[in-house]
Amino acid sequence: MTLSPWHNTLFSDGWRAGTGAPLDVVAPATGAVIDTVAQADAADLDRAVTSATAAQKAWAKAPYAVRAAVMLKASQLLEADPGRLTNVLIPESGSGRGKADFEAGLVISELQEAAALASHPYGELLRSVKDRTSIARRVPLGVVGVISPFNFPAILSMRSVAPALALGNAVILKPDPRTSISGGLALAALFEEAGLPQGVLHVLPGGGELGAALVTHPGVPCISFTGSTPAGRKIGEAAAPLLKRVHLELGGNNAMLVLPDADVQAAASVGAWGSFLHQGQICMTTGRHLVHRSQAEEYIAALTEKARGIPVGDPEEGMPLGPVIDEKQRDRVHGYVTAAVEHGATLAVGGEYEGLFYRPTVLTDVASDNPAWAEEIFGPVAPIQIYDDVDEAIDVINASEYGLSVSIITSNPYAAYELCDRIESGAVHINDATVDDEAVIPFGGSKASGVGGRFGGPRANLDTFTETQWVTMQSRVERYPF
């Protein structure tokens, strides 16, 4: 076995990566083994927790400027050479070049915001009925466990790792085993070069068994998880008896509402981006298209044409859409498409694959009880439903168990804004796609799309990655009757 250079050159201290069985990192586009890393086991996790607990104390006591400098240096290193991340993202996660560049930019922004977060006010002066100073201040949680997914592996790791570190925590990061490098080891290499002290960040490659051990480890008081809703429910159930702080950013079945006054061609462009970007493997992917009957024929034709014209192939050869992550996911996607047709939907385009390359797919005549409408597909599939009344359409949007992101396309943005009060969703984007994120906003969903906190922006990050401590001071010792 040849261990990954990420292990040999960057993690020679023995606790930052695994010491267990080899794990092949495979390019889904070609099936080629990109590298081999060593998986972590329960013993590696115990060592990591012990090391992180010890290192966190000094890191938390360091002046905020020290933590800010590490975040800023990491952002500068990546900005100067984004290829250190994009050149891994493309083969490892099947990212198109544009998606990889976009993701690297998000990571840079996240690091820059984390640098500013380190100096952000971290408390408030409270009123008191006593003659004293009363303060609520934010203190680090200690060790934060981060479990991240395969689809946007770098940013969905970094949006928890960077703010947690900036606020004085240590972090144990378990990336998806399919993206161990871009979701973990490459990020650790960036931080190491930026001057992050040894022991503050641990990257442990491994699968579900390791993730379960991290969730229940008594030395990890906080878990930040991004992934599917079923997995999130299991994590919440496992962590509840331990009274752990758990932040769950979960799935979505996001709707795009095309209002009767919308520019149909523009709407089809937004819909194609929302449904097909990164092969639909995004929690914010547009999984439901609601189009008014007066525009349905034109919209279906326009979206179908866009789906037909998008090249699919190896992203290392410049194709904008690459492969789905593995055979299991491909078969899951195709199962939804097949079931949709069996339940009465019409296949307008797509529904075909070669290897892991699944063609952009448009389904029409999709009823609300069709599995392709009711459930998250996580693939390049655009189900369309026709509506006659906006009130009816909003009821359809809200009927989903998910509440992550909604898009409204219209020529009257203010009228669309007035609909937001009636829409059950963590985000509503007027005249933009359901897929959107920025480091400065408190990102998260409602209902089955998330619980426990938000990611992004100073206030949300302080709420998510610190604990509140109440401190009082008075000049004289208080007198009591006994």
Side-chain angles (χ1 to χ4, degrees):
M1 176 186 73
T2 301
L3 283 173
S4 166
W6 302 99
H7 177 99
N8 290 335
T9 62
L10 300 169
F11 307 105
S12 56
D13 50 325
W15 46 258
R16 292 178 80 173
T19 59
L23 173 66
D24 287 339
V25 180
V26 178
T30 63
V33 175
I34 300 170
D35 221 325
T36 302
V37 301
Q39 296 187 79
D41 56 20
D44 292 315
L45 176 59
D46 286 338
R47 286 191 290 270
V49 172
T50 299
S51 174
T53 301
Q56 186 269 331
K57 294 176 175 61
W59 177 243
K61 287 182 179 179
Y64 77 85
V66 172
R67 296 193 297 275
V70 172
M71 300 298 120
L72 190 58
K73 179 64 174 178
S75 74
Q76 292 168 341
L77 288 169
L78 184 55
E79 193 167 27
D81 181 19
R84 66 190 292 160
L85 183 56
T86 59
N87 290 341
V88 181
L89 277 169
I90 291 170
E92 187 182 40
S93 71
S95 299
R97 168 61 66 179
K99 180 265 186 185
D101 290 340
F102 175 66
E103 185 169 357
L106 289 175
V107 172
I108 292 168
S109 295
E110 194 66 60
L111 287 164
Q112 291 169 341
E113 290 300 318
L117 177 64
S119 62
H120 193 80
Y122 66 104
E124 56 184 333
L125 192 64
L126 307 175
R127 296 188 183 278
S128 179
V129 296
K130 293 184 177 182
D131 184 16
R132 62 183 176 182
T133 299
S134 180
I135 299 169
R137 66 172 191 157
R138 293 288 187 166
V139 297
L141 293 167
V143 179
V144 174
V146 177
I147 302 174
S148 60
F150 71 84
N151 55 336
F152 270 69
I155 186 56
L156 296 182
S157 292
M158 190 62 83
R159 72 173 181 186
S160 291
V161 171
L165 291 175
L167 291 169
N169 299 286
V171 173
I172 296 176
L173 168 60
K174 192 210 81 68
D176 188 290
R178 294 165 291 188
T179 49
S180 296
I181 300 174
S182 58
L185 300 178
L187 306 181
L190 185 67
F191 276 122
E192 185 158 85
E193 190 174 343
L196 187 70
Q198 188 180 74
V200 177
L201 172 63
H202 298 250
V203 176
L204 301 180
E209 185 175 340
L210 179 64
L214 178 58
V215 169
T216 58
H217 199 289
V220 182
C222 174
I223 297 294
S224 176
F225 170 79
T226 301
S228 72
T229 296
R233 287 191 171 107
K234 291 180 181 178
I235 288 173
E237 182 179 359
L242 304 171
L243 302 180
K244 286 198 179 196
R245 179 179 292 207
V246 179
H247 308 293
L248 305 174
E249 200 277 284
L250 308 175
N253 190 12
N254 312 288
M256 187 178 85
L257 174 60
V258 183
L259 292 178
D261 62 1
D263 179 330
V264 174
Q265 296 299 319
S269 175
V270 174
W273 179 263
S275 286
F276 304 139
L277 176 65
H278 194 45
Q279 301 77 261
Q281 299 174 124
I282 309 172
C283 62
M284 295 173 283
T285 288
T286 305
R288 296 179 293 160
H289 298 240
L290 283 154
V291 187
H292 191 264
R293 189 172 300 278
S294 64
Q295 297 175 313
E297 184 177 349
E298 183 183 358
Y299 183 83
I300 291 169
L303 186 61
T304 298
E305 186 61 27
K306 289 185 180 298
R308 187 176 287 116
I310 300 174
V312 178
D314 188 345
E316 291 201 89
E317 297 178 1
M319 294 295 103
L321 293 191
V324 294
I325 193 66
D326 57 24
E327 291 183 358
K328 181 180 178 181
Q329 181 61 21
R330 179 204 63 198
D331 293 344
R332 182 177 186 271
V333 172
H334 194 59
Y336 273 110
V337 173
T338 301
V341 175
E342 291 174 352
H343 282 74
T346 299
L347 182 63
V349 69
E352 300 172 338
Y353 63 86
E354 182 176 345
L356 299 183
F357 300 103
Y358 205 93
R359 290 293 314 169
T361 299
V362 175
L363 296 168
T364 64
D365 306 310
V366 185
S368 292
D369 61 353
N370 193 308
W373 185 267
E375 300 174 26
E376 182 183 33
I377 299 175
F378 221 66
V381 182
I384 300 174
Q385 188 174 120
I386 298 170
Y387 71 91
D388 293 298
D389 179 80
V390 173
D391 291 336
E392 165 203 344
I394 291 177
D395 287 343
V396 170
I397 290 171
N398 291 339
S400 174
E401 68 170 329
Y402 297 103
L404 186 56
S405 183
V406 168
S407 166
I408 305 175
I409 309 300
T410 180
S411 62
N412 188 343
Y414 194 83
Y417 176 75
E418 291 178 330
L419 298 177
C420 292
D421 286 344
R422 299 164 57 193
I423 293 174
E424 299 168 0
S425 178
V428 180
H429 300 293
I430 298 170
N431 287 335
D432 206 347
T434 56
V435 181
D436 202 359
D437 190 16
E438 294 184 36
V440 296
I441 59 98
F443 181 87
S446 61
K447 302 193 287 187
S449 289
V451 69
R454 302 253 165 173
F455 302 98
R459 182 175 297 178
N461 281 330
L462 280 163
D463 287 344
T464 299
F465 297 113
T466 64
E467 185 62 87
T468 299
Q469 184 185 62
W470 181 35
V471 178
T472 66
M473 293 183 293
Q474 51 197 66
S475 58
R476 295 173 182 162
V477 178
E478 187 72 21
R479 300 297 182 182
Y480 293 97
F482 56 86

